[in-house]
Amino acid sequence: MLVTGLEILKKAREEGYGVGAFNTNNMEITQAILEASEEEKSPVILAFSEGALKYGGEYLVSMALEMAKRVRIPVALHLDHGSSYQAVLKALRLGFTSVMIDKSGEDFETNVRETKRVVEAAHALGVSVEAEIGKLAGVEEHVAVDEKDALLTNPREAQIFAEKTGIDYLAVAIGTSHGPYKGKGRPFIDHQRLKKIAALLPGMPLVLHGASGVPKELVEKINQYGGRIEGAQGIHPDDIRQAIQEGISKINTDTDLRLAFTGAVREVLATDPKVYDPRKILGPAREAMKRVVKERIRLFGSAGRA
Ligand code: TD4
Ligand code: CA
Ligand code: ZN
């Protein structure tokens, strides 16, 4: 059933588990996410970037809405990294139940003002809002403390931001970054910073972007069948578990699904030169993504919470 993002995340925050926000771009990805979540009896957030909306159009959303209404788990349809008020309004018109406005690249006052505008519109329709403060720059662990401080979320600023805007959940920059290359050295989560933010915002679900684990097996499979993904690194499962205990409730995962998809497609094409049926190529990819979603759900602790 379709529910708001807040309904899912409020419960997760209170009960101390995480919920995955998985990005979709086509039918197979949407099916993988919803089927895996239903089989694990887990609530789930189905995320669409502006790029996804451009690629799949309104049909991608109608399909997801239709599927979301039929599954027996809570599902929220979420706009990921909405870049403008207009983009958010479009998502609201399409029936999204959660929207993110990302003005984290602007100065603090602009971020507050633009986020507030989105909160007013979305809340009038009963839709929940995520916003971001700090920059997801892929900061290296060895970077100087003051330099890190300038990029990562400032706890006191986060508190003021949440109070001024009335957002429902907050994306924080605590060391992670998007994609399979999460910096040199061991990718890190600034747990001290996260704990400070959570202490100043009691009860507020926090959001972790760039949370993919980039499992070695997925990268190796791609490379085994002719791909070349080098120096890929993700966030360690232990870091994710700890972050959830510290206040992270929504965990964004996109890269791991992309890697699973690519590896499976490469394997079929490389091992079955006679294959030309799209279903025989995309079917295994869907299964591979399903396995990833299930593993993430178990890591987040949301299995059986639906
Ligand atoms: O917010 N996200 C997903 C970003 C999706 C980008 O989509 P486009 O290519 O269409 O812009 C994340 O935080 C994902 O983090 P991850 O670690 O999985 O990369
Ligand atoms: Ca951002
Ligand atoms: Zn993100």
Side-chain angles (χ1 to χ4, degrees):
M1 67 213 105
L2 193 64
V3 302
T4 67
L6 185 61
E7 189 173 326
I8 291 175
L9 294 173
K10 203 170 159 274
K11 186 165 175 280
R13 182 73 178 90
E14 283 166 6
E15 298 178 15
Y17 59 91
V19 174
F22 300 98
N23 288 75
T24 183
N25 292 288
N26 67 18
M27 180 184 79
E28 282 80 7
I29 307 175
T30 303
Q31 287 174 320
I33 296 165
L34 293 182
E35 285 172 17
S37 302
E38 190 168 41
E39 285 167 29
E40 290 295 323
K41 300 186 172 51
S42 166
V44 74
I45 297 169
L46 200 54
F48 299 75
S49 67
E50 285 177 17
L53 295 175
K54 200 169 160 206
Y55 178 80
E58 298 191 8
Y59 300 120
L60 179 66
V61 179
S62 351
M63 205 183 334
L65 272 173
E66 202 51 47
M67 283 153 63
K69 282 180 199 153
R70 285 160 201 249
V71 289
R72 291 172 302 270
I73 48 165
V75 181
L77 252 63
H78 175 77
L79 174 69
D80 194 18
H81 293 285
S83 64
S84 65
Y85 186 67
Q86 286 71 21
V88 168
L89 289 190
K90 190 180 167 205
L92 294 175
R93 180 175 61 77
L94 290 174
F96 280 65
T97 57
S98 174
V99 290
M100 175 187 191
I101 176 77
D102 182 2
K103 292 285 181 182
S104 62
E106 308 278 345
D107 59 77
F108 183 79
E109 291 311 324
T110 308
N111 193 357
V112 168
R113 195 175 60 245
E114 291 295 310
T115 299
K116 223 171 140 179
R117 222 154 68 103
V118 162
V119 169
E120 276 162 23
H123 282 185
L125 298 168
V127 170
S128 337
V129 180
E130 170 182 341
E132 177 174 317
I133 184 153
K135 289 181 187 57
L136 241 83
V139 184
E140 312 284 338
E141 193 158 25
H142 61 260
V143 162
V145 176
D146 55 338
E147 215 177 311
K148 241 188 227 178
D149 228 59
L151 292 169
L152 301 183
T153 303
N154 175 288
R156 178 69 187 129
E157 235 176 48
Q159 184 189 30
I160 299 169
F161 182 78
E163 276 166 8
K164 285 196 169 179
T165 56
I167 49 161
D168 300 294
Y169 23 103
L170 178 69
V172 292
I174 50 174
T176 61
S177 60
H178 291 139
Y181 308 105
K182 299 195 190 296
K184 296 186 213 80
R186 189 177 187 270
F188 75 104
I189 285 184
D190 188 338
H191 292 285
Q192 284 314 111
R193 188 178 298 269
L194 172 55
K195 280 192 268 189
K196 278 186 208 146
I197 298 167
L200 291 174
L201 290 166
M204 163 84 63
L206 300 175
V207 181
L208 186 64
H209 284 252
S212 271
V214 190
K216 238 181 42 222
E217 319 86 71
L218 296 184
V219 176
E220 275 167 5
K221 179 166 245 177
I222 292 175
N223 292 341
Q224 181 188 345
Y225 293 108
R228 210 166 69 221
I229 307 280
E230 282 156 357
Q233 285 207 81
I235 305 299
H236 196 280
D238 290 342
D239 268 330
I240 297 289
R241 259 181 230 111
Q242 193 181 333
I244 292 168
Q245 292 320 308
E246 292 163 347
I248 293 289
S249 308
K250 174 175 176 280
I251 302 132
N252 290 9
T253 304
D254 179 35
T255 297
D256 287 354
L257 272 62
R258 292 184 182 198
L259 293 172
F261 180 97
T262 303
V265 168
R266 278 191 176 279
E267 183 179 14
V268 181
L269 296 177
T271 56
D272 188 356
K274 290 199 166 65
V275 72
Y276 63 92
D277 180 342
R279 294 167 298 186
K280 297 219 158 68
I281 300 166
L282 296 181
R286 184 170 63 194
E287 285 309 307
M289 291 187 288
K290 243 177 114 168
R291 286 193 292 273
V292 168
V293 173
K294 285 187 176 197
E295 198 174 310
R296 300 291 285 170
I297 284 174
R298 290 185 206 130
L299 169 64
F300 304 156
S302 66
R305 306 282 190 165

